[in-house]
Amino acid sequence: MTALKQTCVIATLGLMVATTAHAAPYPVPDTGQSLCYGETSVIGCPFVGEALFGQSAQHSGTPMSYTNNGDGTVTHATTGLMWTQGDSGEAMSWQEAPAWVELVNHARLVRDAE
């Protein structure tokens, strides 16, 4: 699983917890997820009070909207978060990932300064 996919999974889980507990005071972006999942496969979406209730497919939010910045990044219109469109092409641990991000950010700053 790429770092971007892992980050998206963690962000989705965080949004699920935030939106299940109470209404968020900010726009929550929709994930586009339409299926519910058990521990190993797709399941019918659980009802309130059932185990695994509150999955992303059971919530709707602000529609997904991204802007291609034309420089190898995309920006999410609702949150303002920016992602690279590529990955390192190499496997790395969570501990190694920040160094790669620093490298990418530094290269972008150098390029933009030219």
Side-chain angles (χ1 to χ4, degrees), residues 11-60:
T12 299
L13 292 174
L15 288 173
M16 286 170 31
V17 171
T19 58
T20 300
H22 54 66
Y26 47 84
V28 176
D30 196 346
T31 63
Q33 183 71 325
S34 60
L35 300 174
C36 290
Y37 293 89
E39 293 182 29
T40 59
S41 62
V42 174
I43 62 171
C45 289
F47 293 101
V48 175
E50 292 183 329
L52 305 176
F53 171 77
Q55 297 187 36
S56 187
Q58 295 176 286
H59 299 279
S60 61

mmCIF file of all heavy atoms in Angstrom, residues 11-60:
data_model
loop_
_atom_site.group_PDB
_atom_site.id
_atom_site.type_symbol
_atom_site.label_atom_id
_atom_site.label_comp_id
_atom_site.label_asym_id
_atom_site.label_seq_id
_atom_site.Cartn_x
_atom_site.Cartn_y
_atom_site.Cartn_z
ATOM 1 N N ALA A 11 -6.973 9.046 7.306
ATOM 2 C CA ALA A 11 -7.820 10.236 7.291
ATOM 3 C C ALA A 11 -9.292 9.847 7.271
ATOM 4 O O ALA A 11 -10.102 10.449 7.974
ATOM 5 C CB ALA A 11 -7.489 11.113 6.090
ATOM 6 N N THR A 12 -9.637 8.835 6.492
ATOM 7 C CA THR A 12 -11.022 8.374 6.418
ATOM 8 C C THR A 12 -11.481 7.850 7.768
ATOM 9 O O THR A 12 -12.572 8.154 8.232
ATOM 10 C CB THR A 12 -11.186 7.299 5.338
ATOM 11 O OG1 THR A 12 -10.822 7.863 4.085
ATOM 12 C CG2 THR A 12 -12.617 6.789 5.273
ATOM 13 N N LEU A 13 -10.628 7.067 8.421
ATOM 14 C CA LEU A 13 -10.980 6.541 9.745
ATOM 15 C C LEU A 13 -11.174 7.682 10.735
ATOM 16 O O LEU A 13 -12.099 7.667 11.534
ATOM 17 C CB LEU A 13 -9.912 5.572 10.238
ATOM 18 C CG LEU A 13 -9.805 4.264 9.464
ATOM 19 C CD1 LEU A 13 -8.616 3.456 9.962
ATOM 20 C CD2 LEU A 13 -11.085 3.464 9.567
ATOM 21 N N GLY A 14 -10.315 8.695 10.653
ATOM 22 C CA GLY A 14 -10.447 9.850 11.533
ATOM 23 C C GLY A 14 -11.741 10.598 11.292
ATOM 24 O O GLY A 14 -12.418 11.025 12.230
ATOM 25 N N LEU A 15 -12.110 10.770 10.034
ATOM 26 C CA LEU A 15 -13.362 11.445 9.705
ATOM 27 C C LEU A 15 -14.558 10.640 10.184
ATOM 28 O O LEU A 15 -15.541 11.194 10.646
ATOM 29 C CB LEU A 15 -13.468 11.681 8.204
ATOM 30 C CG LEU A 15 -12.554 12.766 7.645
ATOM 31 C CD1 LEU A 15 -12.633 12.769 6.120
ATOM 32 C CD2 LEU A 15 -12.925 14.125 8.189
ATOM 33 N N MET A 16 -14.456 9.315 10.085
ATOM 34 C CA MET A 16 -15.551 8.467 10.530
ATOM 35 C C MET A 16 -15.775 8.661 12.028
ATOM 36 O O MET A 16 -16.900 8.796 12.482
ATOM 37 C CB MET A 16 -15.261 7.001 10.216
ATOM 38 C CG MET A 16 -15.399 6.671 8.750
ATOM 39 S SD MET A 16 -14.815 5.030 8.245
ATOM 40 C CE MET A 16 -15.092 4.016 9.639
ATOM 41 N N VAL A 17 -14.702 8.693 12.800
ATOM 42 C CA VAL A 17 -14.824 8.887 14.239
ATOM 43 C C VAL A 17 -15.398 10.267 14.528
ATOM 44 O O VAL A 17 -16.302 10.427 15.330
ATOM 45 C CB VAL A 17 -13.453 8.702 14.927
ATOM 46 C CG1 VAL A 17 -13.524 9.127 16.386
ATOM 47 C CG2 VAL A 17 -13.006 7.255 14.812
ATOM 48 N N ALA A 18 -14.888 11.290 13.842
ATOM 49 C CA ALA A 18 -15.338 12.659 14.084
ATOM 50 C C ALA A 18 -16.811 12.841 13.741
ATOM 51 O O ALA A 18 -17.540 13.492 14.472
ATOM 52 C CB ALA A 18 -14.487 13.638 13.271
ATOM 53 N N THR A 19 -17.254 12.267 12.633
ATOM 54 C CA THR A 19 -18.635 12.480 12.213
ATOM 55 C C THR A 19 -19.608 11.570 12.939
ATOM 56 O O THR A 19 -20.784 11.874 13.025
ATOM 57 C CB THR A 19 -18.787 12.293 10.688
ATOM 58 O OG1 THR A 19 -18.351 10.995 10.328
ATOM 59 C CG2 THR A 19 -18.004 13.342 9.932
ATOM 60 N N THR A 20 -19.141 10.463 13.484
ATOM 61 C CA THR A 20 -20.022 9.577 14.230
ATOM 62 C C THR A 20 -20.294 10.155 15.605
ATOM 63 O O THR A 20 -21.397 10.078 16.115
ATOM 64 C CB THR A 20 -19.387 8.172 14.362
ATOM 65 O OG1 THR A 20 -19.172 7.656 13.050
ATOM 66 C CG2 THR A 20 -20.293 7.223 15.115
ATOM 67 N N ALA A 21 -19.283 10.786 16.218
ATOM 68 C CA ALA A 21 -19.426 11.304 17.570
ATOM 69 C C ALA A 21 -20.330 12.531 17.626
ATOM 70 O O ALA A 21 -21.134 12.672 18.524
ATOM 71 C CB ALA A 21 -18.045 11.634 18.136
ATOM 72 N N HIS A 22 -20.207 13.454 16.671
ATOM 73 C CA HIS A 22 -20.997 14.684 16.649
ATOM 74 C C HIS A 22 -20.838 15.345 15.285
ATOM 75 O O HIS A 22 -19.949 15.011 14.520
ATOM 76 C CB HIS A 22 -20.554 15.638 17.751
ATOM 77 C CG HIS A 22 -19.081 15.919 17.716
ATOM 78 N ND1 HIS A 22 -18.445 16.592 16.700
ATOM 79 C CD2 HIS A 22 -18.102 15.591 18.585
ATOM 80 C CE1 HIS A 22 -17.164 16.684 16.939
ATOM 81 N NE2 HIS A 22 -16.915 16.078 18.073
ATOM 82 N N ALA A 23 -21.699 16.298 15.037
ATOM 83 C CA ALA A 23 -21.586 17.024 13.768
ATOM 84 C C ALA A 23 -20.341 17.904 13.820
ATOM 85 O O ALA A 23 -20.107 18.611 14.793
ATOM 86 C CB ALA A 23 -22.832 17.866 13.547
ATOM 87 N N ALA A 24 -19.542 17.851 12.792
ATOM 88 C CA ALA A 24 -18.319 18.633 12.750
ATOM 89 C C ALA A 24 -18.646 20.107 12.492
ATOM 90 O O ALA A 24 -19.544 20.415 11.728
ATOM 91 C CB ALA A 24 -17.400 18.100 11.656
ATOM 92 N N PRO A 25 -17.888 21.028 13.114
ATOM 93 C CA PRO A 25 -18.125 22.456 12.916
ATOM 94 C C PRO A 25 -17.467 22.979 11.637
ATOM 95 O O PRO A 25 -17.314 24.169 11.460
ATOM 96 C CB PRO A 25 -17.478 23.080 14.155
ATOM 97 C CG PRO A 25 -16.384 22.130 14.499
ATOM 98 C CD PRO A 25 -16.908 20.762 14.135
ATOM 99 N N TYR A 26 -17.087 22.095 10.744
ATOM 100 C CA TYR A 26 -16.417 22.447 9.496
ATOM 101 C C TYR A 26 -16.895 21.472 8.436
ATOM 102 O O TYR A 26 -17.431 20.412 8.749
ATOM 103 C CB TYR A 26 -14.891 22.356 9.649
ATOM 104 C CG TYR A 26 -14.462 21.079 10.322
ATOM 105 C CD1 TYR A 26 -14.303 19.905 9.591
ATOM 106 C CD2 TYR A 26 -14.250 21.025 11.693
ATOM 107 C CE1 TYR A 26 -13.957 18.719 10.199
ATOM 108 C CE2 TYR A 26 -13.896 19.842 12.304
ATOM 109 C CZ TYR A 26 -13.738 18.694 11.564
ATOM 110 O OH TYR A 26 -13.395 17.511 12.169
ATOM 111 N N PRO A 27 -16.739 21.817 7.167
ATOM 112 C CA PRO A 27 -17.207 20.891 6.125
ATOM 113 C C PRO A 27 -16.383 19.614 6.112
ATOM 114 O O PRO A 27 -15.153 19.657 6.123
ATOM 115 C CB PRO A 27 -17.003 21.670 4.826
ATOM 116 C CG PRO A 27 -16.242 22.887 5.151
ATOM 117 C CD PRO A 27 -16.165 23.030 6.634
ATOM 118 N N VAL A 28 -17.063 18.495 6.122
ATOM 119 C CA VAL A 28 -16.395 17.204 6.055
ATOM 120 C C VAL A 28 -16.491 16.720 4.619
ATOM 121 O O VAL A 28 -17.592 16.556 4.091
ATOM 122 C CB VAL A 28 -17.050 16.180 7.002
ATOM 123 C CG1 VAL A 28 -16.411 14.813 6.846
ATOM 124 C CG2 VAL A 28 -16.960 16.667 8.438
ATOM 125 N N PRO A 29 -15.349 16.520 3.954
ATOM 126 C CA PRO A 29 -15.405 16.086 2.559
ATOM 127 C C PRO A 29 -15.922 14.656 2.433
ATOM 128 O O PRO A 29 -15.607 13.798 3.253
ATOM 129 C CB PRO A 29 -13.958 16.180 2.083
ATOM 130 C CG PRO A 29 -13.139 16.176 3.324
ATOM 131 C CD PRO A 29 -13.987 16.717 4.428
ATOM 132 N N ASP A 30 -16.739 14.448 1.429
ATOM 133 C CA ASP A 30 -17.237 13.106 1.124
ATOM 134 C C ASP A 30 -16.076 12.282 0.573
ATOM 135 O O ASP A 30 -15.220 12.803 -0.140
ATOM 136 C CB ASP A 30 -18.352 13.192 0.091
ATOM 137 C CG ASP A 30 -19.180 11.921 0.010
ATOM 138 O OD1 ASP A 30 -18.743 10.886 0.544
ATOM 139 O OD2 ASP A 30 -20.258 11.971 -0.588
ATOM 140 N N THR A 31 -16.028 11.028 0.925
ATOM 141 C CA THR A 31 -14.946 10.160 0.445
ATOM 142 C C THR A 31 -15.297 9.460 -0.856
ATOM 143 O O THR A 31 -14.428 8.887 -1.499
ATOM 144 C CB THR A 31 -14.618 9.072 1.486
ATOM 145 O OG1 THR A 31 -15.777 8.245 1.643
ATOM 146 C CG2 THR A 31 -14.213 9.685 2.808
ATOM 147 N N GLY A 32 -16.582 9.458 -1.217
ATOM 148 C CA GLY A 32 -16.993 8.735 -2.406
ATOM 149 C C GLY A 32 -17.158 7.246 -2.149
ATOM 150 O O GLY A 32 -17.478 6.473 -3.051
ATOM 151 N N GLN A 33 -16.967 6.842 -0.916
ATOM 152 C CA GLN A 33 -17.080 5.428 -0.564
ATOM 153 C C GLN A 33 -18.551 5.033 -0.613
ATOM 154 O O GLN A 33 -19.407 5.732 -0.073
ATOM 155 C CB GLN A 33 -16.497 5.214 0.837
ATOM 156 C CG GLN A 33 -16.483 3.792 1.281
ATOM 157 C CD GLN A 33 -15.470 2.958 0.539
ATOM 158 O OE1 GLN A 33 -15.219 3.154 -0.637
ATOM 159 N NE2 GLN A 33 -14.891 2.018 1.194
ATOM 160 N N SER A 34 -18.862 3.910 -1.261
ATOM 161 C CA SER A 34 -20.257 3.498 -1.381
ATOM 162 C C SER A 34 -20.531 2.127 -0.780
ATOM 163 O O SER A 34 -21.686 1.717 -0.695
ATOM 164 C CB SER A 34 -20.685 3.499 -2.856
ATOM 165 O OG SER A 34 -19.885 2.597 -3.592
ATOM 166 N N LEU A 35 -19.505 1.428 -0.368
ATOM 167 C CA LEU A 35 -19.662 0.095 0.212
ATOM 168 C C LEU A 35 -19.244 0.093 1.674
ATOM 169 O O LEU A 35 -18.384 0.861 2.087
ATOM 170 C CB LEU A 35 -18.806 -0.925 -0.544
ATOM 171 C CG LEU A 35 -19.103 -1.092 -2.034
ATOM 172 C CD1 LEU A 35 -18.076 -2.012 -2.683
ATOM 173 C CD2 LEU A 35 -20.512 -1.620 -2.246
ATOM 174 N N CYS A 36 -19.839 -0.783 2.450
ATOM 175 C CA CYS A 36 -19.441 -0.984 3.841
ATOM 176 C C CYS A 36 -18.621 -2.267 3.923
ATOM 177 O O CYS A 36 -18.805 -3.189 3.124
ATOM 178 C CB CYS A 36 -20.675 -1.088 4.746
ATOM 179 S SG CYS A 36 -21.544 0.480 4.935
ATOM 180 N N TYR A 37 -17.749 -2.308 4.903
ATOM 181 C CA TYR A 37 -16.825 -3.429 5.008
ATOM 182 C C TYR A 37 -16.836 -4.036 6.397
ATOM 183 O O TYR A 37 -16.911 -3.329 7.404
ATOM 184 C CB TYR A 37 -15.391 -2.983 4.686
ATOM 185 C CG TYR A 37 -15.244 -2.590 3.240
ATOM 186 C CD1 TYR A 37 -15.490 -1.281 2.827
ATOM 187 C CD2 TYR A 37 -14.894 -3.528 2.282
ATOM 188 C CE1 TYR A 37 -15.378 -0.919 1.499
ATOM 189 C CE2 TYR A 37 -14.786 -3.178 0.943
ATOM 190 C CZ TYR A 37 -15.027 -1.873 0.561
ATOM 191 O OH TYR A 37 -14.923 -1.520 -0.753
ATOM 192 N N GLY A 38 -16.748 -5.373 6.409
ATOM 193 C CA GLY A 38 -16.519 -6.104 7.637
ATOM 194 C C GLY A 38 -15.017 -6.241 7.797
ATOM 195 O O GLY A 38 -14.237 -5.528 7.165
ATOM 196 N N GLU A 39 -14.602 -7.184 8.608
ATOM 197 C CA GLU A 39 -13.169 -7.347 8.843
ATOM 198 C C GLU A 39 -12.437 -7.940 7.645
ATOM 199 O O GLU A 39 -11.233 -7.756 7.505
ATOM 200 C CB GLU A 39 -12.943 -8.195 10.085
ATOM 201 C CG GLU A 39 -13.421 -7.462 11.338
ATOM 202 C CD GLU A 39 -13.167 -8.241 12.596
ATOM 203 O OE1 GLU A 39 -12.208 -9.029 12.632
ATOM 204 O OE2 GLU A 39 -13.939 -8.056 13.543
ATOM 205 N N THR A 40 -13.151 -8.648 6.774
ATOM 206 C CA THR A 40 -12.460 -9.285 5.647
ATOM 207 C C THR A 40 -13.153 -9.103 4.302
ATOM 208 O O THR A 40 -12.593 -9.484 3.283
ATOM 209 C CB THR A 40 -12.306 -10.805 5.893
ATOM 210 O OG1 THR A 40 -13.612 -11.382 6.057
ATOM 211 C CG2 THR A 40 -11.461 -11.078 7.127
ATOM 212 N N SER A 41 -14.368 -8.535 4.280
ATOM 213 C CA SER A 41 -15.076 -8.433 3.006
ATOM 214 C C SER A 41 -16.164 -7.362 3.064
ATOM 215 O O SER A 41 -16.460 -6.810 4.121
ATOM 216 C CB SER A 41 -15.707 -9.786 2.651
ATOM 217 O OG SER A 41 -16.658 -10.145 3.642
ATOM 218 N N VAL A 42 -16.771 -7.123 1.911
ATOM 219 C CA VAL A 42 -17.884 -6.183 1.806
ATOM 220 C C VAL A 42 -19.082 -6.771 2.547
ATOM 221 O O VAL A 42 -19.343 -7.967 2.480
ATOM 222 C CB VAL A 42 -18.248 -5.951 0.318
ATOM 223 C CG1 VAL A 42 -19.498 -5.100 0.189
ATOM 224 C CG2 VAL A 42 -17.079 -5.309 -0.421
ATOM 225 N N ILE A 43 -19.794 -5.897 3.264
ATOM 226 C CA ILE A 43 -20.994 -6.321 4.005
ATOM 227 C C ILE A 43 -22.115 -5.332 3.720
ATOM 228 O O ILE A 43 -21.878 -4.255 3.172
ATOM 229 C CB ILE A 43 -20.736 -6.378 5.529
ATOM 230 C CG1 ILE A 43 -20.363 -4.982 6.061
ATOM 231 C CG2 ILE A 43 -19.677 -7.406 5.873
ATOM 232 C CD1 ILE A 43 -20.290 -4.882 7.583
ATOM 233 N N GLY A 44 -23.335 -5.691 4.087
ATOM 234 C CA GLY A 44 -24.428 -4.726 4.057
ATOM 235 C C GLY A 44 -24.158 -3.689 5.136
ATOM 236 O O GLY A 44 -23.639 -4.025 6.202
ATOM 237 N N CYS A 45 -24.481 -2.443 4.881
ATOM 238 C CA CYS A 45 -24.173 -1.398 5.861
ATOM 239 C C CYS A 45 -24.933 -1.633 7.165
ATOM 240 O O CYS A 45 -26.146 -1.864 7.146
ATOM 241 C CB CYS A 45 -24.507 -0.027 5.290
ATOM 242 S SG CYS A 45 -23.365 0.478 3.978
ATOM 243 N N PRO A 46 -24.214 -1.591 8.288
ATOM 244 C CA PRO A 46 -24.840 -1.827 9.596
ATOM 245 C C PRO A 46 -25.782 -0.695 10.002
ATOM 246 O O PRO A 46 -25.635 0.443 9.551
ATOM 247 C CB PRO A 46 -23.654 -1.881 10.557
ATOM 248 C CG PRO A 46 -22.430 -1.944 9.726
ATOM 249 C CD PRO A 46 -22.788 -1.396 8.387
ATOM 250 N N PHE A 47 -26.740 -1.021 10.858
ATOM 251 C CA PHE A 47 -27.672 -0.034 11.394
ATOM 252 C C PHE A 47 -27.107 0.568 12.681
ATOM 253 O O PHE A 47 -26.200 -0.001 13.294
ATOM 254 C CB PHE A 47 -29.043 -0.681 11.664
ATOM 255 C CG PHE A 47 -29.733 -1.112 10.405
ATOM 256 C CD1 PHE A 47 -29.723 -2.444 10.013
ATOM 257 C CD2 PHE A 47 -30.383 -0.188 9.593
ATOM 258 C CE1 PHE A 47 -30.345 -2.848 8.843
ATOM 259 C CE2 PHE A 47 -31.012 -0.587 8.418
ATOM 260 C CZ PHE A 47 -30.984 -1.915 8.042
ATOM 261 N N VAL A 48 -27.672 1.696 13.107
ATOM 262 C CA VAL A 48 -27.253 2.347 14.349
ATOM 263 C C VAL A 48 -27.276 1.324 15.479
ATOM 264 O O VAL A 48 -28.225 0.565 15.618
ATOM 265 C CB VAL A 48 -28.197 3.531 14.692
ATOM 266 C CG1 VAL A 48 -27.850 4.132 16.051
ATOM 267 C CG2 VAL A 48 -28.135 4.590 13.614
ATOM 268 N N GLY A 49 -26.201 1.289 16.249
ATOM 269 C CA GLY A 49 -26.108 0.368 17.378
ATOM 270 C C GLY A 49 -25.450 -0.958 17.034
ATOM 271 O O GLY A 49 -25.025 -1.681 17.921
ATOM 272 N N GLU A 50 -25.401 -1.284 15.743
ATOM 273 C CA GLU A 50 -24.746 -2.524 15.339
ATOM 274 C C GLU A 50 -23.244 -2.317 15.216
ATOM 275 O O GLU A 50 -22.767 -1.192 15.006
ATOM 276 C CB GLU A 50 -25.290 -3.013 13.984
ATOM 277 C CG GLU A 50 -26.726 -3.472 14.044
ATOM 278 C CD GLU A 50 -27.209 -4.022 12.709
ATOM 279 O OE1 GLU A 50 -26.739 -3.555 11.654
ATOM 280 O OE2 GLU A 50 -28.062 -4.915 12.734
ATOM 281 N N ALA A 51 -22.516 -3.413 15.349
ATOM 282 C CA ALA A 51 -21.070 -3.364 15.181
ATOM 283 C C ALA A 51 -20.741 -2.831 13.791
ATOM 284 O O ALA A 51 -21.437 -3.133 12.824
ATOM 285 C CB ALA A 51 -20.469 -4.757 15.368
ATOM 286 N N LEU A 52 -19.731 -2.022 13.709
ATOM 287 C CA LEU A 52 -19.206 -1.454 12.475
ATOM 288 C C LEU A 52 -20.094 -0.374 11.867
ATOM 289 O O LEU A 52 -19.888 0.051 10.734
ATOM 290 C CB LEU A 52 -18.895 -2.537 11.437
ATOM 291 C CG LEU A 52 -17.958 -3.653 11.908
ATOM 292 C CD1 LEU A 52 -17.798 -4.710 10.821
ATOM 293 C CD2 LEU A 52 -16.612 -3.093 12.311
ATOM 294 N N PHE A 53 -21.099 0.107 12.627
ATOM 295 C CA PHE A 53 -21.914 1.218 12.140
ATOM 296 C C PHE A 53 -21.059 2.481 12.069
ATOM 297 O O PHE A 53 -20.143 2.683 12.848
ATOM 298 C CB PHE A 53 -23.106 1.487 13.059
ATOM 299 C CG PHE A 53 -23.838 2.750 12.692
ATOM 300 C CD1 PHE A 53 -24.693 2.771 11.597
ATOM 301 C CD2 PHE A 53 -23.638 3.920 13.394
ATOM 302 C CE1 PHE A 53 -25.350 3.936 11.233
ATOM 303 C CE2 PHE A 53 -24.290 5.090 13.047
ATOM 304 C CZ PHE A 53 -25.150 5.099 11.960
ATOM 305 N N GLY A 54 -21.368 3.365 11.124
ATOM 306 C CA GLY A 54 -20.701 4.655 11.034
ATOM 307 C C GLY A 54 -19.587 4.691 10.014
ATOM 308 O O GLY A 54 -18.711 5.544 10.068
ATOM 309 N N GLN A 55 -19.619 3.779 9.064
ATOM 310 C CA GLN A 55 -18.586 3.753 8.040
ATOM 311 C C GLN A 55 -18.776 4.907 7.064
ATOM 312 O O GLN A 55 -19.835 5.513 6.967
ATOM 313 C CB GLN A 55 -18.605 2.409 7.312
ATOM 314 C CG GLN A 55 -18.289 1.258 8.244
ATOM 315 C CD GLN A 55 -18.136 -0.040 7.505
ATOM 316 O OE1 GLN A 55 -17.618 -0.071 6.396
ATOM 317 N NE2 GLN A 55 -18.576 -1.127 8.125
ATOM 318 N N SER A 56 -17.736 5.207 6.341
ATOM 319 C CA SER A 56 -17.752 6.337 5.409
ATOM 320 C C SER A 56 -18.916 6.253 4.420
ATOM 321 O O SER A 56 -19.499 7.274 4.066
ATOM 322 C CB SER A 56 -16.423 6.411 4.660
ATOM 323 O OG SER A 56 -16.358 7.563 3.890
ATOM 324 N N ALA A 57 -19.265 5.071 3.978
ATOM 325 C CA ALA A 57 -20.362 4.905 3.018
ATOM 326 C C ALA A 57 -21.702 5.322 3.612
ATOM 327 O O ALA A 57 -22.650 5.573 2.879
ATOM 328 C CB ALA A 57 -20.431 3.463 2.536
ATOM 329 N N GLN A 58 -21.781 5.409 4.925
ATOM 330 C CA GLN A 58 -23.034 5.753 5.584
ATOM 331 C C GLN A 58 -23.169 7.253 5.853
ATOM 332 O O GLN A 58 -24.141 7.683 6.445
ATOM 333 C CB GLN A 58 -23.134 4.966 6.893
ATOM 334 C CG GLN A 58 -23.218 3.471 6.641
ATOM 335 C CD GLN A 58 -23.225 2.681 7.917
ATOM 336 O OE1 GLN A 58 -22.212 2.548 8.573
ATOM 337 N NE2 GLN A 58 -24.393 2.159 8.257
ATOM 338 N N HIS A 59 -22.204 8.029 5.428
ATOM 339 C CA HIS A 59 -22.215 9.474 5.648
ATOM 340 C C HIS A 59 -21.982 10.183 4.329
ATOM 341 O O HIS A 59 -21.202 9.740 3.507
ATOM 342 C CB HIS A 59 -21.109 9.884 6.629
ATOM 343 C CG HIS A 59 -21.263 9.263 7.974
ATOM 344 N ND1 HIS A 59 -22.116 9.760 8.927
ATOM 345 C CD2 HIS A 59 -20.683 8.178 8.515
ATOM 346 C CE1 HIS A 59 -22.046 9.010 10.004
ATOM 347 N NE2 HIS A 59 -21.187 8.042 9.778
ATOM 348 N N SER A 60 -22.648 11.280 4.151
ATOM 349 C CA SER A 60 -22.353 12.102 2.980
ATOM 350 C C SER A 60 -21.821 13.437 3.480
ATOM 351 O O SER A 60 -22.165 13.899 4.560
ATOM 352 C CB SER A 60 -23.594 12.295 2.113
ATOM 353 O OG SER A 60 -24.599 12.950 2.863
#
